[in-house]
Amino acid sequence: QVQLVESGGGLVQAGGSLRLSCAASGRTFSNTRMGWFRQAPGKEREFVGSMKWSGGDTYYADSVKGRFTISRDNAKNTVYLQMNSLTPEDTAVYYCAIRSILSARYDYWGQGTQVTVSS
C-alpha cells in the first residue's frame, strides 16, 4: 500500500519561505509522477507543480512559477516543495500525490499539511 506523508507546513510571514516534504513508501516509484496540489478555504483544489520521480520534466502552475521549486531525494524516497516569496494567497492545505506516468489520474494522496501566510 502506497503511503504519502507530508510535513513542513506552518505559519510564515509574507515574503518568507517554507519547505514541504512528502515521504513516500510502500512500493518502488520508478515510472511515476509526483504532484503537489493545494486547496484554500472555499476554493477548488488546484495544481501547484509536478515532476517525474526519476527527475526532470518539471511543471509549475503560473501562480507559483519562479517562486516554488520541486526537488527529490531518491535515497530517502522524499519529494520537496521549496516555497519562496510567499504571499497570503499561498495560504492553503498542501497535498502531495502520485500517479503512474501512463495515467492522468493521481491515485495516491497524502493527508495534507497546512501553510498559512500572514500579511
Side-chain angles (χ1 to χ4, degrees), residues 12 30-31 46 50 53 55 64 72 75-77 89 99 101 104 108 112:
V12 64
S30 57
N31 298 319
E46 65 172 349
S50 71
W53 186 268
V64 307
R72 83 208 190 284
K76 296 182 178 179
N77 268 5
E89 288 68 39
R99 65 170 174 85
I101 60 174
Y108 301 99

Side-chain angles (χ1 to χ4, degrees), residues 23-45:
S25 62
R27 56 164 284 179
T28 58
F29 296 99
S30 57
N31 298 319
T32 62
R33 193 167 186 90
M34 180 69 77
W36 284 98
F37 296 79
R38 66 186 182 186
Q39 187 165 20
K43 294 188 176 181
E44 298 279 321
R45 184 172 61 199

Side-chain angles (χ1 to χ4, degrees), residues 5 9-10 22-23 25 40-41 49 53 62 70 84 99-100 117:
V5 179
C22 175
S25 62
W53 186 268
D62 288 343
I70 297 174
N84 299 327
R99 65 170 174 85
S100 165
V117 184

Side-chain angles (χ1 to χ4, degrees), residues 65-79:
K65 203 172 293 183
R67 300 188 299 123
F68 290 11
T69 302
I70 297 174
S71 63
R72 83 208 190 284
D73 184 335
N74 284 350
K76 296 182 178 179
N77 268 5
T78 299
V79 175

